Amino acid sequence: MKRSFSKLILIILIIAWFRSSTAIAADPGADGFIDTAAHWAKDYISCLTGNGAIKGFTDGTFRPNDMITRAEFTAILLRALKNDVGQPKEGKWYTYYITEATNRKYILSGEFDSVEKNITRGEMARMIVRTMDEVYPGNMDDYASQLSDYGKTPVEYKEFALKAYVKGIITGRPGGVFAYGEQASRAEATTMLVRLIDAGKRAVPAEPVSDDVYMYELDEKKEIKVGTSHPELIVQIKNAIEILKDYATDIYYSKDGNVVQFYLFKDVEELQKNILERVPILKYSVFTEYDPRSEGYRPYSLTLFDTKSTFGQDKFKAMAKEIFPEGYDKILKELQNKIKDTNYQGRVWERINGREIRIFTFAGTNQISMYMELKDK
């Protein structure tokens, strides 16, 4: 009898311990789910469930590591964008969602052989990017180097993968792997959609380090990479940007004209005038390629329109010293002659350390112009 009583006590203690342990392990997180309290995506899950776009299961779980189907992701995407089209009384539950997504071009005809299959990271990126109306950086292609598997990504996914990455919607996995073909979990899908609807939660990657320069192109009306077969010109363009960045400057690039042009104005008020009315103090042009119709190749052209302007003089000197340091003393002498005498007229046409420089001043004007060759190889 005593032994039976001891066994009974032991059984009761074991049951009590088990119930206590289960209660601790199943303690729900802030979002109410019993399996997300310690999950890396718990804050995103809480945000999207609060939004009403995604729900948990009847057993109190969210199952963050479970895979998600194309149909499920489509429904959650539409609900996250406040476009819940509901479910039909008969037939497949996802019919309205797939139809709506197709009508909105989030899904194109023939892209999915079955919407009941698990969705991949690349497929999610494609759908998400199609919902976005955002401006992307002109140097977006430079970000591709941050994704170690970008070169292996199929062409049809590359644009979507890169745009989703650049905007901080989908980050790379360890090692900078985008993993376009891997199936996505409920936690990953939730995180991506929260970043889509809340820009403040995006994980925007660091600006790529690049030797390229991107500028507003006149004809294309957007920023594109400045092209040239002379790398040293890119360095000089960057230096000019640095010298003039804090002043009222307009910069243009003409791809067809092979030229980058800088216009410096006395102040912002002058800069903002009608283009036909404003008067620049200084103009700097960099011709990115040789024009066979011209005699010789002098890619650097620098003109100071008002030699009486102290502000203009300072910028002209800084630019001249940067472009042609070996001829700076000659340039400075011609500038001083013009400052002292408006009627001074001179012409310098020399080779200095293997580089040709031409400096022109004309009587009756306050202008000085010069043209310079590339450095010898």
Side-chain angles (χ1 to χ4, degrees):
M1 180 68 179
K2 187 175 181 179
R3 181 176 295 179
S4 297
F5 180 75
S6 297
K7 287 183 177 180
L8 179 61
I9 294 297
L10 181 60
I11 291 171
I12 292 172
L13 289 173
I14 291 172
I15 292 173
W17 175 85
F18 179 77
R19 286 180 175 175
S20 175
S21 299
T22 303
I24 292 172
D27 182 30
D31 49 26
F33 301 117
I34 62 176
D35 57 349
T36 60
H39 197 276
W40 63 266
K42 62 180 181 180
D43 292 336
Y44 294 101
I45 293 169
S46 180
C47 181
L48 204 61
T49 53
N51 175 281
I54 194 170
K55 300 176 183 178
F57 296 90
T58 55
D59 62 358
T61 63
F62 183 80
R63 304 176 194 174
N65 298 323
D66 283 5
M67 299 299 104
I68 186 170
T69 68
R70 294 161 171 168
E72 289 170 336
F73 181 75
T74 302
I76 298 167
L77 172 64
L78 289 171
R79 290 199 294 262
L81 296 174
K82 302 299 182 183
N83 187 24
D84 190 349
V85 293
Q87 301 178 24
K89 294 181 179 179
E90 298 180 352
K92 299 292 187 180
W93 68 268
Y94 50 74
T95 302
Y96 293 166
Y97 290 111
I98 299 300
T99 299
E100 180 69 8
T102 302
N103 289 339
R104 290 178 174 270
K105 307 298 183 184
Y106 302 162
I107 301 172
L108 300 186
S109 177
E111 283 184 334
F112 293 147
D113 56 345
S114 170
V115 296
E116 296 181 358
K117 288 183 179 180
N118 292 336
I119 196 167
T120 65
R121 287 165 59 84
E123 290 168 345
M124 285 200 300
R126 184 171 62 191
M127 290 181 67
I128 287 174
V129 168
R130 284 173 178 165
T131 72
M132 298 168 65
D133 181 18
E134 302 197 18
V135 177
Y136 296 91
N139 64 336
M140 191 169 70
D141 289 344
D142 292 337
Y143 286 82
S145 62
Q146 298 179 9
L147 296 172
S148 59
D149 60 344
Y150 185 74
K152 299 178 182 178
T153 301
V155 174
E156 61 266 29
Y157 287 110
K158 280 189 171 181
E159 176 188 355
F160 301 110
L162 196 56
K163 284 183 174 180
Y165 175 72
V166 167
K167 284 299 178 179
I169 305 293
I170 304 179
T171 57
R173 287 179 173 174
V177 179
F178 187 85
Y180 79 94
E182 292 189 18
Q183 294 178 359
S185 67
R186 283 168 55 82
E188 288 179 316
T190 298
T191 301
M192 295 174 197
L193 292 178
V194 169
R195 289 172 177 165
L196 170 64
I197 62 178
D198 185 351
K201 296 187 182 300
R202 295 182 181 181
V204 179
E207 182 78 18
V209 177
S210 171
D211 292 331
D212 296 326
V213 171
Y214 288 79
M215 285 189 172
Y216 182 83
E217 210 282 331
L218 291 173
D219 294 324
E220 297 195 22
K221 295 181 170 49
K222 65 178 182 180
E223 284 197 348
I224 66 171
K225 185 170 76 172
V226 175
T228 178
S229 55
H230 305 284
E232 74 172 78
L233 296 181
I234 297 297
V235 175
Q236 291 296 344
I237 290 170
K238 285 185 174 181
N239 292 341
I241 293 173
E242 188 64 24
I243 292 171
L244 301 175
K245 67 179 181 180
D246 296 325
Y247 305 97
T249 308
D250 246 355
I251 308 175
Y252 300 108
Y253 171 48
S254 171
K255 183 178 179 181
D256 289 340
N258 291 318
V259 63
V260 174
Q261 295 184 320
F262 297 77
Y263 292 90
L264 175 68
F265 298 88
K266 64 179 181 179
D267 52 35
V268 175
E269 183 178 351
E270 185 70 24
L271 170 64
Q272 293 177 342
K273 287 183 179 179
N274 182 289
I275 194 169
L276 297 177
E277 297 176 352
R278 60 186 185 174
V279 179
I281 289 179
L282 180 145
K283 176 184 177 182
Y284 174 47
S285 301
V286 180
F287 294 90
T288 55
E289 298 295 350
Y290 168 64
D291 184 347
R293 296 170 298 179
S294 64
E295 179 266 319
Y297 181 40
R298 286 169 291 279
Y300 306 111
S301 169
L302 181 65
T303 296
L304 176 61
F305 296 106
D306 185 3
T307 54
K308 300 299 182 182
S309 166
T310 303
F311 170 68
Q313 293 171 18
D314 291 342
K315 298 301 145 221
F316 180 83
K317 292 176 185 177
M319 296 293 295
K321 193 169 187 178
E322 179 62 43
I323 304 164
F324 205 110
E326 57 268 59
Y328 181 68
D329 290 341
K330 183 76 66 175
I331 298 167
L332 191 60
K333 180 180 179 181
E334 289 300 297
L335 175 62
Q336 293 298 332
N337 288 338
K338 192 61 181 175
I339 292 172
K340 292 176 183 177
D341 183 4
T342 301
N343 288 317
Y344 173 77
Q345 179 169 309
R347 190 183 90 161
V348 174
W349 196 320
E350 297 182 13
R351 296 193 71 81
I352 303 174
N353 291 350
R355 294 181 69 187
E356 184 181 87
I357 182 170
R358 300 183 183 185
I359 309 173
F360 299 97
T361 54
F362 299 95
T365 73
N366 289 322
Q367 178 174 315
I368 180 171
S369 298
M370 61 183 193
Y371 308 87
M372 295 146 284
E373 282 186 341
L374 285 167
K375 290 182 180 180
D376 281 348
K377 301 287 186 182

